Amino acid sequence: AQSVAQPEDQVNVAEGNPLTVKCTYSVSGNPYLFWYVQYPNRGLQFLLKYITGDNLVKGSYGFEAEFNKSQTSFHLKKPSALVSDSALYFCAVRDFDTGGFKTIFGAGTRLFVKA
Amino acid sequence: DGGITQSPKYLFRKEGQNVTLSCEQNLNHDAMYWYRQDPGQGLRLIYYSQIVNDFQKGDIAEGYSVSREKKESFPLTVTSAQKNPTAFYLCASIGTSGGSSYNEQFFGPGTRLTVL
């Protein structure tokens, strides 16, 4: 079965410092991986995805993610955190066990950026 | 949240009542989804629809029902059989041109349902 794990419930970082939000996955074939962000009482917004190609994927709002096949990880990163980055972040993987129409989401990691 | 609207934003239900949550999209997407979000948990799939007049149960379909009579609309009914319906409900869609496997989901702003 396909799955995704976010080992940290919460990440705290000071404004201006680099941030990393961790994600690991388990899939039976090639992984199609996604990151989404959710602000309070809002829907999720797409940040970036990895389908194939370059292991470093760049996305919205200065975020990037590094795909590491050997470690089965897809960590979200940003060189310099902003207070406005504080939100709930979800890693997700496309579920090919059900034909690719379903997405499996991690439990989410809450990011706090302190001024 | 562009392209997907959900209404109402807040909804209160009494015990034993059925309520219907609206989801409309103008993105011309074939596939639509309903998720439930509880505090401290990820999104759990309730129902999804790949095409008009067709839908499949997700992981937590019990106590819920859906219809897909139009491409733009995918309403969710929370029935009295759902024992713990208080949650945040999210509707989403995926464009299937080029293959849905590659495409990201677009989400609506959500409906917060509270049982009184």
Side-chain angles (χ1 to χ4, degrees):
Chain A
Q2 323 242 11
S3 65
V4 61
Q6 295 180 243
E8 302 157 316
D9 292 334
Q10 184 172 309
V11 170
N12 297 309
V13 64
E15 187 174 33
N17 284 359
L19 70 87
T20 298
V21 183
K22 296 180 180 178
C23 173
T24 59
Y25 64 89
S26 175
V27 301
S28 54
N30 292 324
Y32 290 3
L33 297 156
F34 302 80
W35 274 104
Y36 293 86
V37 61
Q38 184 182 32
Y39 298 98
N41 296 311
R42 302 290 298 276
L44 277 66
Q45 297 177 33
F46 168 74
L47 282 178
L48 50 80
K49 65 183 175 183
Y50 173 83
I51 304 300
T52 187
D54 194 347
N55 289 344
L56 185 63
V57 179
K58 294 189 182 296
S60 306
Y61 313 119
F63 284 94
E64 57 189 28
E66 186 171 10
F67 171 69
N68 188 316
K69 188 172 183 177
S70 63
Q71 297 186 6
T72 61
S73 67
F74 189 54
H75 300 331
L76 181 69
K77 300 181 179 182
K78 188 173 182 182
S80 179
L82 300 172
V83 172
S84 57
D85 292 330
S86 298
L88 186 58
Y89 290 81
F90 290 98
C91 183
V93 65
R94 190 71 88 228
D95 183 2
F96 285 99
D97 288 348
T98 56
F101 277 96
K102 293 169 66 176
T103 299
I104 299 171
F105 289 86
T109 298
R110 192 165 297 280
L111 173 67
F112 287 101
V113 181
K114 188 176 181 180
Chain B
D1 303 335
I4 300 183
T5 58
Q6 291 185 242
S7 61
K9 188 172 179 63
Y10 298 97
L11 184 58
F12 298 90
R13 191 195 92 169
K14 293 182 179 180
E15 295 276 356
Q17 281 185 334
N18 291 355
V19 291
T20 297
L21 283 59
S22 170
C23 177
E24 303 278 334
Q25 55 103 354
N26 62 2
L27 300 168
N28 198 33
H29 287 172
D30 287 311
M32 296 187 73
Y33 304 76
W34 274 106
Y35 294 93
R36 171 180 171 140
Q37 185 177 21
D38 294 283
Q41 296 191 36
L43 278 64
R44 293 185 290 169
L45 182 64
I46 305 172
Y47 269 97
Y48 66 106
S49 169
Q50 299 175 22
I51 199 168
V52 174
N53 292 323
D54 184 56
F55 49 82
Q56 287 80 39
K57 293 182 178 180
D59 303 315
I60 56 165
E62 185 176 353
Y64 300 97
S65 66
V66 293
S67 63
R68 187 82 187 279
E69 297 177 1
K70 299 187 299 182
K71 188 175 185 178
E72 305 80 31
S73 179
F74 190 41
L76 173 74
T77 296
V78 184
T79 75
S80 57
Q82 170 51 237
K83 298 307 179 187
N84 185 23
T86 295
F88 191 51
Y89 290 86
L90 289 162
C91 180
S93 68
I94 292 181
T96 50
S97 61
S100 66
S101 302
Y102 308 101
N103 297 331
E104 62 274 18
Q105 290 188 308
F106 287 78
F107 284 82
T111 292
R112 187 165 298 280
L113 173 63
T114 302
V115 174
L116 301 174

